[in-house]
Amino acid sequence: MIEEDGRYTKFRKGVFSVLQTVTGPIISQEAGRILEHEHVLVGFVEDGKLTPGLYDRSDVVSSILPFLLKLKETGCRTMVDCAPEYLGRDPYILRELTELSGIRLVTNTGFYKRPYLPAFVYEASERDLAELWTKEAMNGIGESGVYPGFIKIALNDGKAIDEIQLKILRAAMRTSLETGLPIQCHTIGSEIAQHAYEVMKQAHFEQERFIWVHAHTFQDEELYRRLAAEGGWISVDNIRMESVQEHLDLLIRLRDIGVSGRVLLSQDTGFYEVGKPGGGTLNPYHLLFTDFFPAAAAADLDPQWLEECVTSHAFQAMSRRN
């Protein structure tokens, strides 16, 4: 519940139970390996003007499907699509891809950041935004019959959160408390992360429900310790083959400072980009498992821990409370 003084108290005691996919809730045994931060469709169209009329759904499906089928060969069964509304969220595409590939996809409610926000967001109150997102969580996204599995938001770049993104952050906390959904928050750099951490601490928000997206950009050991101590999830989600050593070094540091139990792994890749012929250059989803995991094991990172980052850690971070 949310008290009159604006403090965000705990949603309720309970267990992490199910992960909401576009075709229904699943338990941990069904989820298997989870890529917790990837993309299927993205459209960088300003002022919230991205609509399905700007792309061909069938072309997106046919372009992405081979990449999901290749991912399935690695034993990965679940993938989280992180494009929020007005940046490429399309529940119809995600449901069709789930049915064709057998990979369970997860979508979201929430908004990104300027300049990709529609005009009404600037005028709406924190409560207005939370009500919109809570309605989707409870009733589904439009007429699609698809329910969101998490809340996706973003912070602006810089040292301090600006007024609009602070409102979006607070609305996401309110929605999480009303619905039990976790929050994934695009965050670049340690200073803006520190500001968000302080906002949540002041509001008494349970940070175990919060995933620090792009946490590899923080590069601050004391901050990693602080975030992990509050229960936050450290998402190392830009793992690419051209930067293998950089990510290996970071994972070794995270292990050595004692926060390995709060680490998530993903790639932030894909994706069909609206406005580019054929969706532009699409990147595979499977390389984390086929290429990076062997390199990590060779660097003396525990293979069992790596599996936990994409199974038990990811399920706990992404699941919805009872």
Side-chain angles (χ1 to χ4, degrees):
M1 62 182 296
I2 302 170
E3 299 175 356
E4 288 302 317
D5 64 1
R7 295 182 1 154
Y8 296 70
T9 58
K10 291 183 179 180
F11 173 66
R12 54 189 154 192
K13 297 292 184 181
V15 296
F16 297 93
S17 55
V18 296
L19 193 164
Q20 179 68 48
T21 76
V22 299
T23 51
I26 58 174
I27 60 175
S28 59
Q29 292 89 335
E30 297 173 289
R33 282 176 161 178
I34 302 167
L35 285 177
E36 55 86 25
H37 192 92
E38 306 295 336
H39 290 281
V40 169
L41 172 71
V42 176
F44 296 104
V45 180
E46 295 186 2
D47 301 323
K49 294 181 179 179
L50 176 64
T51 67
L54 297 179
Y55 55 88
D56 183 332
R57 281 180 169 144
S58 63
D59 190 47
V60 178
V61 169
S62 63
S63 297
I64 293 292
L65 181 58
F67 293 91
L68 290 178
L69 293 174
K70 184 68 175 178
L71 174 62
K72 188 178 180 181
E73 293 176 6
T74 70
C76 182
R77 293 187 236 164
T78 307
M79 192 179 88
V80 180
D81 178 66
C82 291
E85 188 176 12
Y86 306 112
L87 201 74
R89 184 189 71 172
D90 191 313
Y92 297 95
I93 285 174
L94 299 182
R95 184 170 55 198
E96 185 174 357
L97 283 170
T98 289
E99 292 167 349
L100 292 172
S101 70
I103 296 285
R104 296 179 173 93
L105 296 172
V106 181
T107 192
N108 62 80
T109 191
F111 298 145
Y112 195 52
K113 62 179 181 177
R114 65 177 83 207
Y116 306 109
L117 300 171
F120 79 86
V121 176
Y122 299 95
E123 303 300 325
S125 69
E126 169 194 326
R127 186 179 295 273
D128 292 336
L129 297 180
E131 287 178 353
L132 284 175
W133 302 338
T134 298
K135 182 179 179 181
E136 285 196 335
M138 299 304 187
N139 301 326
I141 299 170
E143 302 300 319
S144 68
V146 169
Y147 289 78
F150 67 108
I151 305 156
K152 174 63 188 298
I153 61 169
L155 303 179
N156 52 285
D157 296 342
K159 296 182 178 181
I161 308 172
D162 67 25
E163 182 179 355
I164 182 65
Q165 301 309 138
L166 183 59
K167 177 172 66 175
I168 285 173
L169 172 61
R170 292 189 181 280
M173 290 191 285
R174 184 182 291 270
T175 305
S176 179
L177 294 168
E178 292 292 338
T179 65
L181 293 178
I183 301 168
Q184 281 206 31
C185 183
H186 168 103
T187 313
I188 303 296
S190 61
E191 292 176 304
I192 203 81
Q194 178 64 39
H195 188 185
Y197 166 86
E198 291 168 354
V199 169
M200 288 187 285
K201 281 283 285 183
Q202 185 176 13
H204 299 273
F205 179 76
E206 185 180 9
Q207 295 189 38
E208 191 173 348
R209 310 302 299 141
F210 200 86
I211 299 170
W212 294 95
V213 174
H214 312 322
H216 51 279
T217 67
F218 300 173
Q219 298 296 321
D220 182 328
E221 292 185 4
E222 182 54 37
L223 179 60
Y224 288 134
R225 289 191 187 96
R226 193 175 302 129
L227 301 180
E230 290 296 327
W233 294 97
I234 298 168
S235 178
V236 180
D237 49 46
N238 191 245
I239 296 176
R240 308 291 175 85
M241 293 308 100
E242 61 268 23
S243 55
V244 166
Q245 192 58 52
E246 174 186 338
H247 291 295
L248 292 177
D249 291 344
L250 175 58
L251 292 181
I252 290 169
R253 288 171 60 199
L254 293 173
R255 178 197 65 187
D256 292 348
I257 65 174
V259 302
S260 58
R262 310 307 296 176
V263 173
L264 308 173
L265 301 176
S266 208
Q267 300 158 122
D268 190 24
T269 195
F271 44 77
Y272 189 104
E273 186 171 347
V274 176
K276 292 188 176 181
T281 301
L282 280 67
N283 295 303
Y285 300 118
H286 66 271
L287 295 180
L288 179 73
F289 303 118
T290 59
D291 293 52
F292 184 77
F293 272 23
D300 201 30
L301 284 165
D302 182 5
Q304 180 59 37
W305 174 59
L306 297 172
E307 285 294 332
E308 289 170 357
C309 291
V310 297
T311 53
S312 58
H313 293 190
F315 184 83
Q316 186 178 357
M318 288 298 305
S319 61
R320 180 176 187 166
R321 282 192 184 275
N322 282 329

